[in-house]
């Protein structure tokens, strides 16, 4: 049965995305990350520049190239170290791999025995330092640490055949899909900088996390069929089925309803925050919205998920009713997003 998913955010695309896609695949073929033809074919079918161009339709092309290279690194790293591995990844080995990557990020230097993934990340890091301000780079580095840490948690769960609880999963999914590492680069890719005082606003912090979780949960809905051949049960549908002891069809309906409640809260808080902040922050809010829509459009067209259902269309019509067993505002991990977070009596001087 086809289940439409609600998203009133209009689609967009970058006019140079196709040309950048060609450049990214040529670059990846030289990078050493894709030693076998099927690795490069998988990346080409994933369309990293197409996705990046839908997220940042107005980005300067040179910045789009750098961000798309990072997306390509994330896709190939995930495939080679976690997603496409035959046996569950070893948590200790994953921890060592991630620790080395963090050290490359922190020192901006390479070990003598650097792997292809370390070398490429080192290259991308130096490109980002040329484009990002110190505060922007710190935010990205923090997000990268959290993402790499979350991979160890995921590997441990997968190795032990553990399905996490809903509250725990909501918290870890904010960082577990690497989305936060890309959200922190939205203003870098766009060629502007959100004022640091705005990033300290509880509302903007919540919206940034919401965007990451929404994209992660949408990926869960769209990738679950692909993941069923593995022992990985860290997917919102599986988590809800285990949490409430319900069947998969019912869990899928529950996941969509939960996700729709989160999107509605994101849009409400986004609009209130946009009315009280300056132009740079409003551009950032628009880019986060585009990430959510771009992920849906890309997921329904890329060969990465080889999608045949259960979701086959996007609707701009809000659902007639929303009912979940546990409203997301009742979860400890994300419940604060439903608190009165929008700034009051304040407008950013950034114009």
């Amino acid at each position: 049965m086809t289940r439409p998913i609600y998203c009133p955010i209009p689609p967009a695309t970058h006019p140079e995305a196709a040309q950048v896609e060609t450049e990214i695949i040529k670059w990846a073929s030289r990078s050493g990350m894709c030693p076998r033809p099927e690795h490069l074919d998988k990346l080409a079918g994933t369309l990293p520049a197409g996705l990046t161009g839908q997220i940042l339709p107005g980005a300067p092309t040179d910045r789009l190239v750098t961000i798309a290279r990072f997306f390509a690194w994330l896709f190939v790293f995930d495939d080679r170290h976690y997603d496409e591995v035959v046996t569950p990844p070893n948590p200790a080995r994953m921890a060592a791999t991630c620790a080395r990557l963090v050290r490359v990020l922190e020192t901006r230097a390479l070990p003598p025995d650097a792997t292809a993934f370390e070398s490429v990340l080192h290259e991308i890091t130096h490109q980002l330092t040329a484009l990002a301000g110190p505060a922007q780079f710190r935010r990205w580095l923090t997000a990268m640490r959290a993402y790499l840490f979350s991979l160890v948690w995921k590997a441990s769960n997968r190795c032990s055949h553990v399905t996490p609880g809903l509250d725990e999963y909501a918290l870890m999914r904010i960082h577990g899909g690497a989305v936060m590492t890309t959200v922190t680069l939205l203003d870098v890719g766009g060629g502007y900088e959100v004022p640091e005082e705005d990033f300290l606003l509880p509302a903007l912090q919540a919206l940034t996390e919401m965007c990451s979780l929404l994209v992660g949960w949408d990926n869960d809905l769209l990738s679950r069929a692909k993941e069923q051949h593995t022992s990985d049960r860290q997917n919102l549908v599986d988590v809800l089925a285990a949490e409430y002891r319900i069947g998969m069809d019912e869990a899928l309906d529950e996941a969509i309803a939960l996700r729709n409640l989160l999107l509605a809260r994101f849009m409400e808080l986004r609009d209130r925050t946009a009315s009280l902040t300056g132009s740079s922050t409003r551009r950032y809010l628009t880019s986060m919205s585009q990430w959510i829509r771009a992920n849906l459009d890309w997921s329904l067209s890329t060969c990465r998920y080889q999608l045949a259902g259960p979701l086959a269309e996007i609707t701009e019509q809000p659902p007639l009713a929303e009912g979940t067993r546990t409203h997301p505002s009742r979860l400890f991990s994300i419940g604060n997003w439903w608190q009165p977070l929008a700034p009051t009596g304040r407008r950013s001087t950034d114009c």
Side-chain angles (χ1 to χ4, degrees), residues 111-184:
D113 58 343
T115 66
F117 287 100
E118 291 166 352
S119 296
V120 173
L121 186 60
H122 177 260
E123 173 191 344
I124 292 170
T125 300
H126 279 272
Q127 292 170 354
L128 287 175
T129 56
L131 300 176
Q136 291 174 306
F137 185 82
R138 284 196 302 272
R139 284 192 288 271
W140 179 68
L141 178 57
T142 298
M144 284 295 291
R145 288 193 187 102
Y147 160 60
L148 293 168
F149 165 76
S150 74
L151 288 179
V152 180
W153 173 80
K154 289 173 63 178
S156 178
N157 283 347
R158 185 171 170 185
C159 190
S160 303
H161 305 286
V162 169
T163 301
L166 176 58
D167 207 346
E168 177 185 349
Y169 184 69
L171 174 62
M172 295 302 291
R173 194 67 172 100
I174 294 171
H175 299 286
V179 179
M180 187 65 79
T181 69
T182 64
V183 176
T184 57

Side-chain angles (χ1 to χ4, degrees), residues 9-129:
I9 302 162
T13 190
H14 195 285
E16 305 295 325
Q19 293 91 319
V20 173
E21 199 78 73
T22 300
E23 191 279 335
I24 292 298
I25 300 307
K26 290 179 179 177
W27 165 80
S29 70
R30 301 189 301 265
S31 70
M33 295 190 302
C34 302
R36 297 167 60 178
E38 57 265 33
H39 297 151
L40 195 63
D41 290 344
K42 176 72 178 295
L43 178 61
T46 297
L47 303 174
L51 173 58
T52 313
Q54 289 175 297
I55 298 168
L56 296 167
T61 303
D62 60 332
R63 290 175 179 260
L64 184 70
V65 169
T66 298
I67 304 301
R69 287 181 176 181
F70 177 57
F71 269 79
W73 183 91
L74 287 171
F75 285 133
V76 180
F77 179 77
D78 182 66
D79 286 345
R80 297 281 306 281
H81 289 83
Y82 185 85
D83 197 41
E84 298 294 330
V85 296
V86 177
T87 58
N90 180 280
R93 190 176 302 116
M94 180 67 77
T97 297
C98 291
R100 281 175 59 107
L101 289 167
V102 168
R103 200 59 178 161
V104 168
L105 291 167
E106 291 173 337
T107 64
R108 305 185 202 181
L110 280 173
D113 58 343
T115 66
F117 287 100
E118 291 166 352
S119 296
V120 173
L121 186 60
H122 177 260
E123 173 191 344
I124 292 170
T125 300
H126 279 272
Q127 292 170 354
L128 287 175
T129 56

Side-chain angles (χ1 to χ4, degrees), residues 243-265:
E243 183 93 357
Y244 299 119
R245 299 181 180 180
I246 56 179
M248 288 301 170
D249 283 347
E250 193 175 357
L252 179 57
D253 290 335
E254 182 82 9
I256 293 172
L258 198 66
R259 174 257 181 221
N260 286 344
L261 286 170
L262 181 55
L263 178 60
R265 177 55 177 163

